[in-house]
Amino acid sequence: MRTIHLIDRKTMCAAVMLAAFASVTAALPGKNDERPAMTAKARQAQAQQQFELANKYQSGEGVMMDRERALRLYTQAAQAGSAPAAYALARHYSGLTGQAVNLGRAHQYLRQAAQAGFAPAQTDLAFVYLNGNAEVAQDMVASLRWFRAAAKSGNVRAWCQLGDFYKHGWGGIKPDAAAAVRLYRATANADDPCASKSQYELYLAHLRGEGARADGKAAIDWLRRAADAGNPRAQRALGRAYERGEGVSRDPALARVWLRKSREGVAPHDDHEHDLPSFGGPGLFKRLAPFSPQAPSPKLIAP
């Protein structure tokens, strides 16, 4: 009787093990596995989770900072189709995080994010084509195309820069000073660093009567706004105006104040217009507000 009892126990154990093995193997994918693949919505949710976790490891928010792990998670999220993750990788490989610079990979990820409709990436890609770099040739037509794409998404900086395209006729379009002024007016009151650039351009338009009526008072009003906002070109021009008494009462003391402020701006420069740094490029915006969210779009007027 005792032997029979032992055999029964062994038989029972074997049966349990076989049942468990069968349930495990049934769950494994195989040739006959007809379960639906992960849906696009599920992949999107997973990519978003990876992106958010990467942000936490990048900043050390609630977890131990681990930028290598953040980079892996950004890469996984980008591969799963996350445009913000691809944009984060583009910034990383551009050297904006103080780490490895690889302009080729930066351009690859920037294009991925831009093609997915991510407006900040479209704007930055437009600036890349506007200025060119060691890996990407200058291409004004492509730059115009991407600025227009970003503008359709309501990106304020793209609208600011499009004003320059219409003003100068870049990218193969016909110069249109009136269209440029409409774009500058649409962005001059925006809560964005580029607003001071639009204000300065409106000063020039009213000063020269190009695209707007010649109006000395309006010109000085826009110049003061741009100078107060920290635009070094405007500060220098306002200093010269007080120095010479052009449009304002001559005031040597105020002239010195504004000329000094112009040298405390974003980048040092001398008094020659052609030596001033580009005030429209993405470098300025990243220095002024490197991680600020996009400001709400003003009501924009198409040229």
Side-chain angles (χ1 to χ4, degrees), residues 15-285:
V16 170
M17 291 175 64
L18 285 171
F21 179 76
S23 65
V24 171
T25 53
L28 294 174
K31 285 190 287 186
N32 299 321
D33 185 9
E34 297 181 355
R35 292 176 305 153
M38 182 183 289
T39 65
K41 187 174 181 179
R43 285 196 300 272
Q44 185 178 12
Q46 183 184 57
Q48 179 63 24
Q49 290 172 353
Q50 291 170 326
F51 172 68
E52 291 173 357
L53 186 58
N55 285 340
K56 292 181 183 297
Y57 280 111
Q58 179 71 17
S59 63
E61 179 189 347
V63 296
M64 184 74 72
M65 183 182 290
D66 187 339
R67 289 181 173 173
E68 289 300 321
R69 187 168 186 179
L71 184 60
R72 290 196 298 272
L73 285 165
Y74 281 133
T75 303
Q76 291 168 6
Q79 290 171 345
S82 169
Y87 183 58
L89 288 170
R91 291 170 63 85
H92 169 80
Y93 287 112
S94 295
L96 295 176
T97 60
Q99 299 181 58
V101 177
N102 186 325
L103 294 179
R105 296 191 74 177
H107 185 63
Q108 171 192 340
Y109 283 116
L110 194 57
R111 281 188 62 84
Q112 177 183 332
Q115 288 171 344
F118 194 57
Q122 292 172 333
T123 304
D124 280 7
L125 183 60
F127 276 118
V128 169
Y129 284 121
L130 176 65
N131 299 309
N133 61 33
E135 292 290 332
V136 182
Q138 185 183 54
D139 187 336
M140 301 299 279
V141 173
S143 180
L144 175 62
R145 183 172 67 250
W146 284 111
F147 275 127
R148 280 175 166 166
K152 287 179 181 178
S153 300
N155 187 280
V156 176
R157 296 173 189 178
W159 281 86
C160 285
Q161 195 64 30
L162 277 174
D164 290 355
F165 276 78
Y166 281 96
K167 177 181 178 179
H168 300 290
W170 294 340
I173 61 176
K174 183 179 178 180
D176 188 336
V181 166
R182 288 198 297 272
L183 288 161
Y184 294 139
R185 287 192 189 282
T187 52
N189 296 314
D191 182 17
D192 191 279
C194 81
S196 70
K197 176 189 181 302
S198 293
Q199 292 161 3
Y200 179 73
E201 293 293 345
L202 288 171
Y203 150 70
L204 293 177
H206 282 294
L207 180 68
R208 300 168 179 171
E210 297 175 354
R213 73 183 187 282
D215 186 334
K217 183 180 182 303
I220 289 296
D221 288 345
W222 283 115
L223 183 61
R224 282 199 176 103
R225 287 188 60 181
D228 286 337
N231 185 313
R233 285 185 172 182
Q235 290 170 339
R236 184 178 69 89
L238 187 57
R240 293 300 185 211
Y242 278 116
E243 183 180 62
R244 299 163 183 164
E246 296 174 348
V248 294
S249 299
R250 188 173 181 276
D251 191 326
L254 275 178
R256 285 193 297 272
V257 168
W258 285 110
L259 290 172
R260 187 179 301 114
K261 281 181 178 292
S262 74
R263 288 163 172 77
E264 296 170 355
V266 174
H269 57 77
D270 64 18
D271 289 337
H272 299 289
E273 184 74 19
H274 65 272
D275 287 330
L276 288 168
S278 169
F279 205 76
L284 170 67
F285 304 129

